[in-house]
Amino acid sequence: MNSRGDGFFPDEVILQILARLPVKSLFMCKTVCKLWYRLSADKYFVQLYNDLSVKNLMVLVEVSEASDSKSRLICVDNLSGVSEFSLDFLKDRVKIRASCNGLLCCSSIPDKGVYYVCNPMTREFRLLPRSRERPVTRFYPDGEATLVGLACCSSSQKFNVVLAGYHRSFGHRSDGTFICLVFDSELNRWRKFVSFQDDHFTHMKRNQVVFVNGSLHWLTGSSCILVLDLHYDIWRKMSLPGEVSYGSGNRIYLLESDGCLSVIQISDAWLNIWVLKDYEREEWHLADRVSLRCVRGLVPGIFPISQTGEYVFLATHKQVLVYQRKKRVWKVMYSVNNSSALPLWFSAHAFRSTIFSCY
Amino acid sequence: MSSSSSPMQSTGRKLKLKSKDDETFEVEEAVAVKSQIFKYMVEDGVSNGPIPLPNVNGKTLARVLQWCQKHADPTITEDELNKYDAGFIDVDQAVLYDLLMAANYLNIEELLKLACMRVADMIKGKSPDEIRRTFNIKNDFTPEEEEEVRKENAWALGP
């Protein structure tokens, strides 16, 4: 049956098999024989693995118990359910600030201004050099960046971290200057540029940053999308779909959907999913209209966290749910029993398991 | 994907295939084109006489064509198809190997993915030694090399 020396199958077949393994099993396979070791390190393979992972949606949630100050992380996976998740390998107490293509950007809780980029699946991490800005006097109001974004480009395996916020010189009031610090993983350096903005962001809007088409996107408080083009370091605005409007019970969230920008609009009875099909022409398309009748009781407190063309993950104060679009079925994936200090949606991030390297 | 002028509907035309052990099969074009190889042959009008398949034996070809037939059926629902696939791929290793090689050779993407997923499922949760035994793979690392690689991946290999 086996006439080849090391492998059983042609190389392409081995790659297709390895690309379907969870990360831990993949690493087991690296030690099986030289061929498998070599194939799994191949650049083409890394991209194949990461491309396949898009189909498997996950959500990372920070669960904090009311009783103690410690919080733990869980990962909710559509295929394999709920598992404990740890960032202990960073050897620091951190808060997840952004997630993109399998990498996380975390800020140190004890050390303000200290940021890590890590891949929690492979346990690789990179401590970012401090930007030369002195954060306490530069960012306003808390000395912390208002917006934190992570942009991971799967083809080049490079990433950028963006810290942006209003500027205030020491002793003065804020003057509307918006500082943007961008970390370049290839140059291992921060660069800075300044602009003038007048936008406000709620907690949820700050958390929901989407990286598509080489740009980072955030939803502002005033019905538009703020875009940071990382090729040219330019901020610009993009409109929401014409039919989407704020106010009177309409809540709006920015997510990704299979590599496209997506807006989810929640009213009392309906959840509308809009997808930006044509990025250049800014043409939005109503992909789905979901009746919220089954979950009516949860509607005021339900927040969409991540989605693919087939599933949407949502979080409430105490639960993580998944909605299967084809079957039109809702399922509770995770529940907390005790009243937690913070709602689950407060620190929930879209996630997928990749072998993206942060070196 | 193809923008050829001739439509892929059931023209009633059949393809003749010959396995490596000289078994012949007749299959409708609409079913055969699940394989990219046959799809290109049909498009280019190169399908007179039985097509020899020296890499696939009769038993495996029969199974593969059965799968193609099911997947070319427009009346079957997605749920039924998933159930069918689950049963289809639940076979012993030797058969699985033959299906995998045939799907690769004939370039039948969906079947290849199905078979690869099954093999991946067989690998999950196994130690490197167990994986080697299951697939009859020789460990060609020297003891020093193996130690290096183990150290590199220590966190995954666990205590």
Side-chain angles (χ1 to χ4, degrees):
Chain A
M1 197 153 47
N2 172 23
S3 56
R4 295 171 58 89
D6 305 306
F8 215 31
F9 313 112
D11 286 0
E12 327 85 83
V13 172
I14 299 179
L15 288 174
Q16 290 289 336
I17 295 169
L18 295 180
R20 288 167 165 84
L21 291 169
V23 176
K24 196 158 177 180
S25 297
L26 175 64
F27 276 67
M28 295 275 175
C29 287
K30 278 179 189 278
T31 66
V32 163
C33 66
K34 283 186 180 172
L35 176 68
W36 286 26
Y37 180 77
R38 186 171 46 83
L39 287 178
S40 57
D42 192 90
K43 216 174 145 193
Y44 162 74
F45 173 73
V46 173
Q47 186 152 11
L48 173 66
Y49 189 94
N50 294 344
D51 287 346
L52 279 178
S53 75
V54 171
K55 315 254 170 69
N56 189 22
L57 193 61
M58 294 173 172
V59 167
L60 290 184
V61 184
E62 196 177 311
V63 182
S64 59
E65 305 293 331
S67 45
D68 54 49
S69 57
K70 273 190 81 176
S71 64
R72 39 181 244 276
L73 286 170
I74 55 155
C75 177
V76 183
D77 178 345
N78 194 41
L79 292 177
S80 32
V82 183
S83 51
E84 288 282 327
F85 194 82
S86 171
L87 294 176
D88 286 347
F89 61 94
L90 293 176
K91 309 244 188 284
D92 194 353
R93 262 195 325 132
V94 296
K95 181 161 169 50
I96 300 175
R97 305 304 295 273
S99 163
C100 181
N101 277 331
L103 292 189
L104 296 178
C105 175
C106 307
S107 62
S108 166
I109 296 175
D111 276 318
K112 239 186 202 175
V114 169
Y115 288 87
Y116 301 87
V117 170
C118 66
N119 183 330
M121 294 290 127
T122 62
R123 306 212 186 167
E124 270 186 356
F125 72 93
R126 185 151 154 187
L127 170 64
L128 301 191
R130 283 193 191 247
S131 66
R132 288 216 236 97
E133 296 295 303
R134 283 177 297 132
V136 180
T137 52
R138 294 307 185 201
F139 284 126
Y140 169 83
D142 327 281
E144 277 230 303
T146 307
L147 302 177
V148 179
L150 177 61
C152 300
C153 177
S154 15
S155 47
S156 63
Q157 303 261 318
K158 295 190 290 183
F159 66 85
N160 292 109
V161 172
V162 168
L163 302 177
Y166 290 100
H167 171 265
R168 182 191 68 142
S169 306
F170 189 75
H172 292 77
R173 286 171 50 199
S174 163
D175 56 7
T177 327
F178 203 67
I179 281 195
C180 185
L181 300 171
V182 182
F183 177 77
D184 183 320
S185 68
E186 222 182 9
L187 303 173
N188 199 41
R189 262 204 326 252
W190 293 90
R191 60 180 191 262
K192 164 184 158 184
F193 68 97
V194 176
S195 57
F196 289 89
Q197 317 273 65
D198 186 26
D199 296 298
H200 298 276
F201 306 89
T202 63
H203 173 84
M204 230 13 220
K205 290 175 171 47
R206 282 199 290 256
N207 261 2
Q208 291 190 321
V209 46
V210 179
F211 177 61
V212 295
N213 284 74
S215 300
L216 287 170
H217 305 74
W218 285 269
L219 206 53
T220 70
S222 45
S223 302
C224 68
I225 298 171
L226 183 64
V227 185
L228 174 59
D229 181 330
L230 287 164
H231 288 132
Y232 302 112
D233 284 354
I234 290 182
W235 292 98
R236 62 187 180 88
K237 296 260 167 86
M238 213 175 187
S239 341
L240 291 175
E243 296 88 331
V244 172
S245 53
Y246 276 109
S248 52
N250 263 322
R251 295 182 288 125
I252 305 186
Y253 303 94
L254 190 70
L255 276 76
E256 184 190 327
S257 178
D258 293 339
C260 295
L261 204 56
S262 166
V263 162
I264 289 189
Q265 174 189 23
I266 298 182
S267 66
D268 285 337
W270 293 97
L271 182 150
N272 293 336
I273 302 176
W274 296 85
V275 178
L276 188 62
K277 282 293 176 183
D278 189 332
Y279 190 85
E280 302 304 321
R281 297 216 216 109
E282 287 191 29
E283 277 175 14
W284 292 90
H285 158 71
L286 181 61
D288 209 344
R289 244 172 97 71
V290 179
S291 164
L292 294 173
R293 210 176 333 141
C294 299
V295 292
R296 193 185 284 136
L298 300 171
V299 171
I302 199 166
F303 297 78
I305 305 294
S306 64
Q307 67 173 334
T308 65
E310 294 183 11
Y311 303 94
V312 183
F313 266 113
L314 307 105
T316 65
H317 190 113
K318 294 191 191 176
Q319 292 180 320
V320 176
L321 301 122
V322 70
Y323 174 74
Q324 296 177 23
R325 285 171 59 180
K326 268 202 195 127
K327 296 194 178 151
R328 307 209 157 259
V329 165
W330 295 84
K331 195 162 91 158
V332 176
M333 297 295 296
Y334 176 77
S335 261
V336 281
N337 297 323
N338 317 315
S339 72
S340 38
L342 291 169
L344 295 182
W345 57 260
F346 197 77
S347 318
H349 298 265
F351 183 70
R352 68 172 74 121
S353 170
T354 70
I355 48 179
F356 203 117
S357 172
C358 42
Y359 292 139
Chain B
M1 188 176 104
S2 80
S3 52
S4 82
S5 48
S6 57
M8 273 311 147
Q9 278 110 346
S10 162
T11 56
R13 286 195 27 194
K14 296 200 193 255
L15 251 70
K16 275 212 179 80
L17 310 172
K18 189 152 91 149
S19 72
K20 110 170 157 195
D21 42 2
D22 281 338
E23 241 184 278
T24 49
F25 295 83
E26 236 185 41
V27 62
E28 277 193 25
E29 236 177 53
V31 171
V33 296
K34 283 276 164 204
S35 151
Q36 290 289 313
I37 305 286
F38 298 142
K39 186 160 178 277
Y40 296 142
M41 284 184 171
V42 167
E43 279 175 7
D44 289 338
V46 180
S47 44
N48 327 309
I51 301 169
L53 301 171
N55 284 24
V56 191
N57 65 37
K59 239 171 47 165
T60 307
L61 188 54
R63 254 189 235 259
V64 170
L65 292 176
Q66 204 183 68
W67 182 93
C68 293
Q69 182 95 23
K70 207 70 179 200
H71 278 251
D73 184 349
T75 66
I76 197 168
T77 71
E78 194 181 319
D79 264 345
E80 286 170 350
L81 217 48
N82 289 336
K83 261 208 185 112
Y84 174 78
D85 278 350
F88 182 86
I89 210 69
D90 186 13
V91 289
D92 68 44
Q93 219 174 305
V95 177
L96 181 59
Y97 170 71
D98 286 339
L99 283 174
L100 191 47
M101 297 302 275
N104 183 50
Y105 173 66
L106 296 172
N107 201 346
I108 307 174
E109 198 180 318
E110 288 303 313
L111 182 56
L112 183 62
K113 284 185 192 167
L114 181 63
C116 285
M117 195 65 230
R118 176 88 178 112
V119 177
D121 284 339
M122 288 166 65
I123 292 179
K124 278 183 212 176
K126 288 199 162 80
S127 72
D129 250 334
E130 287 167 338
I131 297 171
R132 287 187 203 112
R133 261 178 284 143
T134 307
F135 298 100
N136 198 21
I137 296 174
K138 183 162 158 298
N139 179 2
D140 57 353
F141 286 117
T142 66
E144 297 79 31
E145 285 170 339
E146 188 166 357
E147 189 49 41
E148 272 287 321
V149 177
R150 281 185 62 82
K151 264 202 260 177
E152 237 178 61
N153 302 303
W155 66 270
L157 298 170

